[in-house]
Amino acid sequence: MTKPLKLHEDRLFPSQPKVRDIARALYAEIADLPIISPHGHTDPSWFARNEPFGNATELLLQPDHYLFRMLYSQGIALEDLGIGGHDADPRAAWRILAENYHLFRATPSRIWLDWVFSEVFGIDVRLDGETADFYYDTITDALQTDAYRPRTLFERYGIEVLATTESPLDTLEHHLDINESDWDGRVITAYRPDPVVDPDFEGFANNLKKFSELTGEDTATWAGYLAAHRKRRAFFKEVGATSTDHGHPTAATANLTFSEAEKLFDKVRNGAGSAEDAELFRAQMLTEMAAMSLDDGLVMQIHPGSFRNHNRQLFERFGRDKGADIPMRTDYVHALQPLLDRFGNEADLSIILFTLDESSYARELAPLAGHYPCLKLGPAWWFHDSPEGMRRFRSMTTETAGFYNTVGFNDDTRAFLSIPARHDVARRIDCGFLAQLVAEHRLEEDEAFEVARELAYGLAKKAYRL
Amino acid sequence: MTKPLKLHEDRLFPSQPKVRDIARALYAEIADLPIISPHGHTDPSWFARNEPFGNATELLLQPDHYLFRMLYSQGIALEDLGIGGHDADPRAAWRILAENYHLFRATPSRIWLDWVFSEVFGIDVRLDGETADFYYDTITDALQTDAYRPRTLFERYGIEVLATTESPLDTLEHHLDINESDWDGRVITAYRPDPVVDPDFEGFANNLKKFSELTGEDTATWAGYLAAHRKRRAFFKEVGATSTDHGHPTAATANLTFSEAEKLFDKVRNGAGSAEDAELFRAQMLTEMAAMSLDDGLVMQIHPGSFRNHNRQLFERFGRDKGADIPMRTDYVHALQPLLDRFGNEADLSIILFTLDESSYARELAPLAGHYPCLKLGPAWWFHDSPEGMRRFRSMTTETAGFYNTVGFNDDTRAFLSIPARHDVARRIDCGFLAQLVAEHRLEEDEAFEVARELAYGLAKKAYRL
Amino acid sequence: MTKPLKLHEDRLFPSQPKVRDIARALYAEIADLPIISPHGHTDPSWFARNEPFGNATELLLQPDHYLFRMLYSQGIALEDLGIGGHDADPRAAWRILAENYHLFRATPSRIWLDWVFSEVFGIDVRLDGETADFYYDTITDALQTDAYRPRTLFERYGIEVLATTESPLDTLEHHLDINESDWDGRVITAYRPDPVVDPDFEGFANNLKKFSELTGEDTATWAGYLAAHRKRRAFFKEVGATSTDHGHPTAATANLTFSEAEKLFDKVRNGAGSAEDAELFRAQMLTEMAAMSLDDGLVMQIHPGSFRNHNRQLFERFGRDKGADIPMRTDYVHALQPLLDRFGNEADLSIILFTLDESSYARELAPLAGHYPCLKLGPAWWFHDSPEGMRRFRSMTTETAGFYNTVGFNDDTRAFLSIPARHDVARRIDCGFLAQLVAEHRLEEDEAFEVARELAYGLAKKAYRL
């Protein structure tokens, strides 16, 4: 027998009746605000070309490492899901997901997917082995219709602005196409220079060559390399970018002299650097990027602390982003000091810090953001972008950093269809948090309404200079 | 005036009426499921000999380091409690516990003991200085009756299987006796090789000699030493073991070549190794044990992160396990990589990870278990095996690892009488956690019933291959 | 339009009606207990001279780094607030605070200030840009009246004892004046030797000279230096001190021989020491201080883990204590071992441990305090002295350390006017925590009343030997 699927209107609110009532009232005021998505990983070609998405498996399962990592953890082969270019029958792959959907109980993936199934496709039965084919057909058929084309969904979702993330080596052709088209959706890019900044990145030496070709600068010299960044940042900004993004293993920053940096660059450029040299180079580059941000006004995001590709066998067989990135303990207080020594007191600089190490919320990040004018706190990230994770974020940062040193919500996703679901979770959790404060007489109700609007909309817009 | 002792039927459930009602309903369905105790430290001779337990102090106070550590922390001498072979009047020792019972307010020891007093001995007044003698006599008298013999309690408690933990040097005579007896209680062992694996263990060199005698292998060579393990594991398995257990200071693993390992073994065997050599040897042995587990199917448990015998004076005077083991910060993401590099993708291998460092739950352990097929998460352990500790475990692991990468509950205790109390706490806390999810519309009620049964019974049975 | 300011009688209690009722009942019993303030940073000259406090800005804003750090984090110049000796119109500075008061939503500063505004000054409108002048005048005018002189407020606040914190170089003239006066308020000092113990302290060499002059001991020798401490501690004790306080970067302790310590002292005394030498010297001095405490009975407080003056530019321009101290990850289990090796089992020694690293609560501090007779846990400190911070403290320490290895509340503040507000927050949060335990049947109601009184009054008095 199939089970019903119905999203409850009070989902994710605190369950205590009086607090829930306050949360409902707050949510009612902000539920329909436009979506600001200032950081994420959707594919700009979707909006440039506006072609139909493929089938259910191609759209919802294969690009979503949250889903296949969990399936893999239970012994399911990635090949059977068609991951990493392996051929698999998409319907059969979908059935595997359906039969194992219980694995996602109480995970955010379940919340996001159920929202997509119910709100986007109007499905009202629960996903399981029995309903697998019905789901597959319903979704795949819908995707062929105009109502499910990327731009239509973008508009239906009430997205005011959506940022993607590109390497400096990207031509931004899709963003340029969108800008030149008669469609007025705002899809912007962000400058993510890891491929030309991280000596450990696959193909680093080759990337530097392309970087030179694209910019006309001599990236074999430190001065030319920096000039290439400046040029490329200017181009990204011209096309619409308001931010940069940096995904380093740690939050280390450095403050070398020009000649020290020059020597270090020579070493890592030639592949002659040690692991320590690579780390120092990335560290120095965060400081260089901050210097450029102070000039060009791009907001800087630092996303440190992921041990990428932890599963070496899997990496060799399937490549990166296969659900095998594992968070590490991350220090900020020492790591950021060299950068802060130079630029910490610049009120015009804006650096948004993220973490995968929740122990740093109350200990380091909230105290840093509650003092330095240039620092802000990004929202709960990745593994922590979940109801409990967001609650921990608020309860561990607010008392020291306040609400106004945070920057609203980032969905940070490549799963376009679930973007409104993710913002909805954040809005509900924030309203619940505020409702609890009101119920404990720690915040007045009129203030809670003001803050709710800021968390859902205003802070992101301001922090990302949108 | 004596105060009443009465266990409340709603104890440990969330206090909000609607949530409590859901918790009650879930609990009603699973409260009477048999107890699976897949990891613990009870004494198998109790069940082999089935002799009466001694007096109240001997049974309940002297072996329980949770109790005497707290008394010691308040300046009470261990000698006065008869710890470490010191002579003390057991009734006087019991009185000290009784007079200081307020120290245990809001600790799990209080919950477990009150359950034992009320449910096992039918006592209905609270323990304090005034009721100390009444308690001592009631308990001590009852213990002389047949109804309180080990096997009778085992059956009364509804224990389906109970695992103890033995060194490879143990003859397993008691397990053999139980197997050969006409009693059909299932008491199995687990292979805990620390005394012959950890070069820092008391008497390591001598232990290796005994290991050789027991197995007929030449434990002076690396190959012989490994063969001895293989033989002894086979023997343990034959007698009933389904798991091994490893209590190292850290979670470090290594992946040396045979000849590197051989050289290292020579060093540590002769006592010529440094602290780093000892650590590397333990690390290599975790990988060797994983290799053997892949062959013989024994489930592997890793219990790292305790700084054993932190109080050196106390250790010299009273020996190990005297309440002076203190948790340390524990890294998993780097430490486990060498082992995972070799065996991480083996779906037939099962490694259950424990931690005393809660900051690793959401940061490292849930992401690792939510990806690697060979990894599962053990329940909240030791200091964290408590109502708040278990709640933190669920709220910090579920969203990333789900429920199905966890393994149910371990009581991990030598306090036999409290085993049902400990499982009852876990069941109540899990039902409360599920009820909260249902009340917030994050899980459907029919799913919560299914999960509750898995957490109380099914997952432990499956994970430990029982 | 102005908004009302009214403290709700149920503020900070759990919002669930039944739990709130229990919290109310508990609170009613302890709300009016005298205030024990065993550790803080108020200025003893206030009580010695009993002169009127200055204006609103001088009293409430300029000394409070919680306030101006938050304003600074949002780009407001410290000069405009009159910080660090800069001239600023106090009324204009107050207006900046008022206009930015929304930044403090859901922070403890807001709770403390609102209490001061409402309870001390009888203000019933909310602080904002519109009411800024009204606030400034009301407060400044009141401060000129006798009802707002330091001693009158001290009595009105029901303070039984208030401890300040002084350097060994302090003459304690104000404490002596108070002792000799006919006023019977108890204002005592605490011995905080950082300026003569920490080789990295500003003016260390010069401080040692003054230390010699004050004590008549030759502080150029290790023996003389120790003798100077002993003399000065005796003097502090004579004047009223019952405790010492140590604010080191880490919790490191050491256990050097006399001659090793002598050599080390020679190095650091001459400024010839490395960073490691300075760290080792501080570490050794904690052990020396413990030895002296065992002799003279002064209770020892360790406040480690703050990276002081993290913002170097700000430090150079404005000096220390300007809101730029950032917590660091802090180890206790290894750091304290050398000291505990020598003195850990001394039941007459009392060392109170604090932390800024909440990950150590359940992992290290509660297990240490739940075992060693000499250790107790100080309350949630600094950034964590807040409703959520206190709840985390209780929920992460109680199950392992119990209530009786904690020491009640410390306000640890220089903001004299808010002292009762801070104790009130602690009392309310503790009553809420106890109420939750009662509501979940984890503690009996009669016990909760007993514990509430201990947490609010008894434990602090006993732990600090007052």
Side-chain angles (χ1 to χ4, degrees):
Chain A
M1 223 193 62
T2 60
K3 305 226 172 63
L5 170 65
K6 192 175 173 332
L7 306 183
H8 197 286
E9 60 179 3
D10 288 329
R11 64 191 185 277
L12 300 171
F13 291 158
S15 58
Q16 196 199 313
K18 281 227 171 154
V19 187
R20 192 191 54 208
D21 289 349
I22 304 169
R24 271 183 194 159
L26 293 169
Y27 178 73
E29 285 294 306
I30 57 106
D32 295 328
L33 286 172
I35 287 176
I36 304 283
S37 176
H39 175 66
H41 298 275
T42 52
D43 184 340
S45 74
W46 296 335
F47 310 103
R49 297 184 185 140
N50 201 30
E51 284 168 8
F53 289 113
N55 57 50
T57 300
E58 228 179 286
L59 178 62
L60 298 176
L61 171 55
Q62 284 163 352
D64 190 341
H65 54 65
Y66 288 75
L67 294 186
F68 61 72
R69 76 192 303 279
M70 181 69 97
L71 297 172
Y72 187 67
S73 79
Q74 291 276 319
I76 291 163
L78 293 187
E79 288 85 345
D80 295 343
L81 303 172
I83 305 297
H86 286 264
D87 239 18
D89 173 33
R91 181 181 297 271
W94 184 263
R95 254 187 231 131
I96 293 172
L97 171 66
E99 282 158 6
N100 289 283
Y101 200 47
H102 63 281
L103 299 178
F104 297 94
R105 285 171 179 163
T107 69
S109 292
R110 164 72 179 268
I111 300 174
W112 300 328
L113 280 180
D114 277 357
W115 184 91
V116 169
F117 299 153
S118 172
E119 295 294 304
V120 183
F121 295 102
I123 296 174
D124 61 2
V125 293
R126 202 188 295 166
L127 181 62
D128 56 24
E130 213 179 319
T131 60
D133 285 330
F134 168 73
Y135 261 79
Y136 186 80
D137 293 331
T138 304
I139 293 168
T140 304
D141 290 354
L143 292 177
Q144 308 321 309
T145 65
D146 283 351
Y148 289 84
R149 286 189 189 245
R151 292 183 180 178
T152 319
L153 287 174
F154 187 100
E155 287 156 12
R156 174 178 163 192
Y157 283 177
I159 298 176
E160 185 174 312
V161 57
L162 177 73
T164 65
T165 307
E166 272 73 37
S167 148
L169 306 179
D170 194 287
T171 59
L172 302 186
E173 55 177 325
H174 306 301
H175 294 86
L176 289 165
D177 285 353
I178 295 167
N179 289 350
E180 284 157 22
S181 77
D182 55 4
W183 183 57
D184 61 2
R186 188 173 174 198
V187 177
I188 63 177
T189 183
Y191 188 73
R192 168 100 166 209
D194 301 359
V196 295
V197 155
D198 179 359
D200 294 332
F201 207 94
E202 299 97 281
F204 178 66
N206 209 36
N207 293 343
L208 287 185
K209 252 184 237 160
K210 285 192 215 149
F211 198 33
S212 173
E213 288 158 22
L214 269 169
T215 57
E217 297 289 342
D218 179 6
T219 61
T221 70
W222 174 236
Y225 171 74
L226 292 178
H229 276 291
R230 264 184 230 106
K231 264 202 187 162
R232 209 62 192 154
R233 289 170 63 107
F235 172 61
F236 270 60
K237 191 177 169 184
E238 201 185 294
V239 178
T242 69
S243 68
T244 70
D245 182 30
H246 308 276
H248 294 193
T250 74
T253 65
N255 197 358
L256 305 177
T257 63
F258 186 90
S259 73
E260 288 166 342
E262 199 168 31
K263 271 182 216 146
L264 177 63
F265 179 65
D266 275 353
K267 256 207 239 170
V268 300
R269 191 176 54 82
N270 292 318
S274 64
E276 287 70 33
D277 291 329
E279 175 71 358
L280 183 59
F281 185 72
R282 289 186 296 261
Q284 178 62 21
M285 283 310 296
L286 284 185
T287 309
E288 299 293 343
M289 290 288 120
M292 294 186 198
S293 274
L294 200 55
D295 286 343
D296 64 20
L298 293 180
V299 171
M300 191 170 170
Q301 299 171 90
I302 306 182
H303 281 96
S306 177
F307 188 132
R308 304 272 170 182
N309 313 311
H310 190 270
N311 188 331
R312 290 188 197 157
Q313 292 181 15
L314 206 83
F315 177 61
E316 282 157 20
R317 288 168 53 214
F318 296 93
R320 52 165 53 225
D321 295 327
K322 292 297 171 288
D325 298 341
I326 310 290
M328 298 180 286
R329 207 152 59 206
T330 303
D331 159 75
Y332 293 85
V333 67
H334 301 96
L336 293 176
Q337 222 205 8
L339 188 158
L340 293 171
D341 260 358
R342 268 182 72 185
F343 301 119
N345 298 291
E346 299 286 351
D348 289 338
L349 178 65
S350 186
I351 302 177
I352 301 174
L353 298 174
F354 293 81
T355 198
L356 294 172
D357 180 356
E358 293 176 310
S359 76
S360 69
Y361 281 158
R363 187 182 56 218
E364 300 174 36
L365 292 175
L368 285 165
H371 165 67
Y372 281 101
C374 71
L375 296 180
K376 295 274 177 294
L377 288 194
W381 174 40
W382 200 337
F383 296 100
H384 311 308
D385 173 16
S386 62
E388 300 290 340
M390 289 176 184
R391 286 173 181 166
R392 285 196 292 272
F393 174 79
R394 288 283 173 222
S395 90
M396 294 201 276
T397 63
T398 308
E399 294 181 320
T400 291
F403 292 112
Y404 294 85
N405 283 309
T406 65
V407 304
F409 181 65
N410 278 188
D411 55 72
D412 194 4
T413 191
R414 56 199 80 216
F416 175 55
L417 261 69
S418 71
I419 283 180
R422 292 165 192 259
H423 286 259
D424 190 59
V425 171
R427 290 173 181 191
R428 287 172 178 272
I429 294 296
D430 281 341
C431 288
F433 181 75
L434 292 168
Q436 193 61 49
L437 292 176
V438 172
E440 294 180 11
H441 312 289
R442 294 159 64 188
L443 190 70
E444 298 299 325
E445 201 155 351
D446 66 288
E447 299 179 289
F449 277 95
E450 239 181 86
V451 174
R453 179 170 288 266
E454 288 297 319
L455 300 183
Y457 180 79
L459 288 173
K461 202 161 169 173
K462 193 179 158 201
Y464 283 88
R465 302 181 176 171
L466 292 166
Chain B
M1 223 193 61
T2 61
K3 305 226 173 61
L5 170 65
K6 192 175 170 339
L7 306 184
H8 197 286
E9 60 179 3
D10 288 329
R11 63 192 185 276
L12 301 170
F13 291 157
S15 57
Q16 196 199 313
K18 282 226 173 156
V19 188
R20 191 191 55 208
D21 289 349
I22 304 170
R24 270 184 195 160
L26 293 169
Y27 178 72
E29 285 294 305
I30 57 106
D32 296 327
L33 285 173
I35 287 175
I36 304 282
S37 176
H39 175 66
H41 298 276
T42 52
D43 184 338
S45 74
W46 296 336
F47 309 104
R49 297 186 185 140
N50 200 31
E51 283 168 9
F53 290 113
N55 58 49
T57 300
E58 228 179 287
L59 178 62
L60 298 176
L61 170 55
Q62 284 164 350
D64 190 340
H65 54 65
Y66 287 76
L67 294 186
F68 61 73
R69 77 192 302 278
M70 180 69 97
L71 297 173
Y72 187 68
S73 80
Q74 291 277 319
I76 291 163
L78 293 187
E79 288 85 346
D80 294 343
L81 303 171
I83 306 296
H86 285 265
D87 239 18
D89 174 33
R91 180 181 297 272
W94 185 262
R95 253 186 233 133
I96 294 172
L97 172 66
E99 280 157 8
N100 289 283
Y101 200 48
H102 63 281
L103 299 177
F104 297 93
R105 284 172 180 164
T107 70
S109 292
R110 165 71 180 268
I111 300 175
W112 300 328
L113 280 180
D114 277 359
W115 184 92
V116 169
F117 298 154
S118 171
E119 295 294 304
V120 184
F121 295 102
I123 296 173
D124 62 1
V125 294
R126 202 188 295 166
L127 181 62
D128 57 24
E130 212 178 321
T131 60
D133 285 329
F134 168 72
Y135 261 78
Y136 185 81
D137 293 330
T138 303
I139 293 169
T140 304
D141 291 352
L143 292 177
Q144 308 322 309
T145 66
D146 282 351
Y148 289 84
R149 284 188 189 247
R151 292 183 180 179
T152 318
L153 287 174
F154 187 100
E155 287 157 12
R156 175 177 164 193
Y157 283 178
I159 299 176
E160 185 175 312
V161 55
L162 177 73
T164 65
T165 306
E166 271 74 36
S167 149
L169 306 179
D170 194 287
T171 58
L172 303 186
E173 53 176 328
H174 305 301
H175 294 86
L176 288 165
D177 285 352
I178 295 167
N179 289 351
E180 284 157 23
S181 76
D182 55 3
W183 183 57
D184 61 2
R186 187 171 173 199
V187 177
I188 62 177
T189 182
Y191 188 73
R192 167 99 167 209
D194 301 0
V196 295
V197 155
D198 179 359
D200 294 334
F201 208 93
E202 299 98 281
F204 178 66
N206 208 37
N207 293 344
L208 286 186
K209 252 184 238 159
K210 284 191 216 149
F211 197 32
S212 173
E213 288 159 21
L214 268 170
T215 56
E217 298 288 342
D218 179 6
T219 61
T221 71
W222 175 236
Y225 171 74
L226 293 178
H229 275 292
R230 265 186 229 105
K231 264 201 187 162
R232 209 62 193 153
R233 289 170 64 108
F235 172 61
F236 270 60
K237 192 177 167 183
E238 201 185 295
V239 178
T242 69
S243 68
T244 71
D245 182 30
H246 308 276
H248 294 193
T250 74
T253 64
N255 198 358
L256 305 177
T257 63
F258 186 90
S259 73
E260 288 167 344
E262 199 168 31
K263 271 182 216 144
L264 178 63
F265 179 65
D266 275 352
K267 255 208 239 169
V268 300
R269 190 175 55 82
N270 292 319
S274 64
E276 287 70 32
D277 291 328
E279 175 71 357
L280 183 59
F281 185 72
R282 289 185 296 259
Q284 178 62 21
M285 283 310 296
L286 284 185
T287 309
E288 300 293 343
M289 290 288 120
M292 294 185 199
S293 274
L294 199 54
D295 286 342
D296 64 20
L298 293 180
V299 170
M300 191 168 168
Q301 300 171 92
I302 306 182
H303 281 96
S306 177
F307 188 131
R308 305 271 171 182
N309 313 312
H310 190 270
N311 188 331
R312 290 190 197 155
Q313 292 181 15
L314 206 81
F315 176 62
E316 283 157 20
R317 286 168 54 214
F318 295 93
R320 52 165 54 223
D321 297 326
K322 292 297 171 287
D325 298 342
I326 310 290
M328 298 180 285
R329 206 152 60 207
T330 304
D331 160 73
Y332 294 85
V333 68
H334 300 96
L336 293 177
Q337 222 205 9
L339 187 159
L340 293 170
D341 260 359
R342 268 182 72 183
F343 300 120
N345 298 290
E346 299 286 351
D348 289 339
L349 178 65
S350 186
I351 302 177
I352 301 174
L353 299 174
F354 293 82
T355 198
L356 293 172
D357 180 355
E358 294 177 310
S359 77
S360 68
Y361 281 158
R363 187 182 58 217
E364 301 175 35
L365 292 175
L368 285 165
H371 166 65
Y372 281 101
C374 73
L375 296 181
K376 295 274 177 294
L377 288 193
W381 174 40
W382 199 338
F383 296 100
H384 311 309
D385 172 17
S386 61
E388 299 290 340
M390 289 176 185
R391 285 173 182 166
R392 284 196 293 271
F393 174 79
R394 290 280 173 223
S395 90
M396 294 201 274
T397 64
T398 307
E399 294 181 319
T400 290
F403 291 113
Y404 294 85
N405 283 309
T406 64
V407 303
F409 181 66
N410 279 187
D411 54 72
D412 195 3
T413 191
R414 56 200 82 215
F416 175 55
L417 261 69
S418 71
I419 284 181
R422 291 165 192 257
H423 286 260
D424 190 60
V425 171
R427 290 172 181 191
R428 286 172 179 274
I429 293 296
D430 281 341
C431 287
F433 181 76
L434 292 167
Q436 192 61 49
L437 292 176
V438 172
E440 293 180 11
H441 312 288
R442 294 159 64 187
L443 189 70
E444 298 299 325
E445 200 155 350
D446 66 289
E447 300 179 290
F449 277 95
E450 239 181 86
V451 174
R453 179 170 288 266
E454 288 298 320
L455 300 183
Y457 180 78
L459 288 173
K461 201 161 169 173
K462 193 178 157 201
Y464 282 88
R465 303 181 177 172
L466 291 165
Chain C
M1 223 194 62
T2 61
K3 304 228 172 61
L5 170 63
K6 192 175 172 336
L7 306 185
H8 198 285
E9 59 178 3
D10 289 329
R11 65 192 185 276
L12 301 171
F13 291 157
S15 57
Q16 196 200 313
K18 281 226 171 155
V19 188
R20 190 191 56 209
D21 289 349
I22 305 170
R24 270 183 194 160
L26 293 170
Y27 178 72
E29 285 294 305
I30 56 107
D32 296 327
L33 286 173
I35 287 176
I36 304 283
S37 177
H39 175 67
H41 298 276
T42 51
D43 184 338
S45 75
W46 295 336
F47 309 104
R49 296 185 186 140
N50 200 29
E51 284 167 8
F53 290 113
N55 58 51
T57 300
E58 228 180 286
L59 177 62
L60 297 177
L61 170 55
Q62 284 162 352
D64 190 340
H65 54 65
Y66 287 77
L67 294 185
F68 61 74
R69 77 191 303 277
M70 181 69 98
L71 297 172
Y72 187 69
S73 80
Q74 291 277 318
I76 291 162
L78 294 186
E79 288 85 345
D80 294 343
L81 302 171
I83 306 296
H86 286 264
D87 240 17
D89 174 32
R91 181 181 296 272
W94 185 262
R95 255 188 230 132
I96 294 173
L97 172 66
E99 281 158 7
N100 289 283
Y101 200 48
H102 64 281
L103 299 178
F104 297 94
R105 284 172 181 164
T107 69
S109 292
R110 164 71 179 268
I111 299 174
W112 302 327
L113 280 180
D114 277 358
W115 184 93
V116 169
F117 299 154
S118 172
E119 295 294 304
V120 184
F121 295 102
I123 296 174
D124 62 2
V125 294
R126 203 187 294 167
L127 180 62
D128 57 23
E130 212 180 318
T131 60
D133 285 329
F134 168 73
Y135 261 79
Y136 186 80
D137 292 331
T138 304
I139 293 169
T140 305
D141 291 352
L143 291 178
Q144 308 322 309
T145 66
D146 283 350
Y148 289 84
R149 286 189 188 244
R151 292 182 179 179
T152 319
L153 287 174
F154 187 100
E155 287 157 12
R156 175 177 164 192
Y157 282 178
I159 298 176
E160 185 175 313
V161 56
L162 177 73
T164 65
T165 306
E166 271 74 37
S167 149
L169 306 180
D170 195 285
T171 58
L172 302 186
E173 54 177 325
H174 305 301
H175 294 86
L176 288 165
D177 285 352
I178 295 167
N179 289 350
E180 283 158 23
S181 77
D182 55 3
W183 183 56
D184 60 2
R186 186 170 174 200
V187 177
I188 62 178
T189 182
Y191 188 73
R192 167 100 166 209
D194 301 0
V196 294
V197 155
D198 179 359
D200 294 333
F201 207 94
E202 300 97 280
F204 177 66
N206 208 36
N207 294 344
L208 287 186
K209 251 185 237 157
K210 283 192 216 148
F211 197 32
S212 173
E213 287 159 22
L214 268 170
T215 57
E217 298 288 342
D218 178 6
T219 62
T221 71
W222 175 235
Y225 171 74
L226 292 179
H229 275 292
R230 264 185 231 105
K231 263 200 188 164
R232 209 62 191 153
R233 290 170 64 107
F235 172 61
F236 270 60
K237 191 176 168 184
E238 199 184 297
V239 178
T242 70
S243 68
T244 71
D245 182 31
H246 309 275
H248 294 192
T250 74
T253 64
N255 197 357
L256 305 177
T257 62
F258 187 90
S259 73
E260 287 167 342
E262 200 168 29
K263 271 182 216 144
L264 178 64
F265 180 64
D266 274 352
K267 257 208 239 172
V268 300
R269 191 175 55 83
N270 292 320
S274 64
E276 287 70 32
D277 291 329
E279 175 70 358
L280 183 59
F281 185 72
R282 289 186 296 259
Q284 179 62 22
M285 283 310 296
L286 284 185
T287 308
E288 299 293 344
M289 289 288 121
M292 293 185 200
S293 274
L294 199 55
D295 287 342
D296 63 20
L298 292 180
V299 170
M300 191 169 169
Q301 300 170 90
I302 306 182
H303 281 95
S306 177
F307 189 132
R308 304 271 169 182
N309 313 312
H310 190 270
N311 188 330
R312 290 190 198 157
Q313 292 182 16
L314 207 82
F315 176 62
E316 283 157 20
R317 287 168 53 214
F318 295 93
R320 51 165 54 223
D321 297 325
K322 291 299 170 287
D325 298 341
I326 310 290
M328 298 180 285
R329 207 153 59 207
T330 304
D331 160 74
Y332 293 85
V333 67
H334 301 96
L336 293 176
Q337 221 205 10
L339 187 159
L340 292 171
D341 261 358
R342 267 182 72 184
F343 301 119
N345 298 291
E346 300 286 352
D348 289 339
L349 178 65
S350 186
I351 303 176
I352 301 173
L353 299 174
F354 294 81
T355 196
L356 293 172
D357 179 355
E358 292 176 312
S359 77
S360 69
Y361 281 158
R363 187 182 58 217
E364 301 175 34
L365 292 175
L368 285 165
H371 165 65
Y372 281 102
C374 72
L375 297 181
K376 295 274 177 293
L377 289 194
W381 174 41
W382 200 338
F383 296 101
H384 311 309
D385 173 17
S386 61
E388 300 291 340
M390 289 176 185
R391 285 174 183 166
R392 284 196 293 272
F393 174 79
R394 289 281 174 223
S395 91
M396 294 201 273
T397 64
T398 307
E399 294 181 319
T400 291
F403 291 113
Y404 294 85
N405 283 309
T406 64
V407 303
F409 181 65
N410 278 188
D411 54 72
D412 194 4
T413 192
R414 57 200 81 216
F416 175 55
L417 262 69
S418 70
I419 283 181
R422 291 164 193 258
H423 286 259
D424 190 59
V425 171
R427 290 172 181 191
R428 287 171 178 274
I429 293 295
D430 281 340
C431 287
F433 181 76
L434 291 167
Q436 193 60 50
L437 292 176
V438 171
E440 294 181 11
H441 312 288
R442 293 159 64 188
L443 190 70
E444 299 299 326
E445 201 156 349
D446 66 288
E447 299 179 290
F449 277 95
E450 238 181 87
V451 174
R453 179 169 289 265
E454 288 297 319
L455 300 183
Y457 180 78
L459 288 173
K461 201 162 170 172
K462 192 178 158 200
Y464 282 89
R465 302 181 177 172
L466 292 165

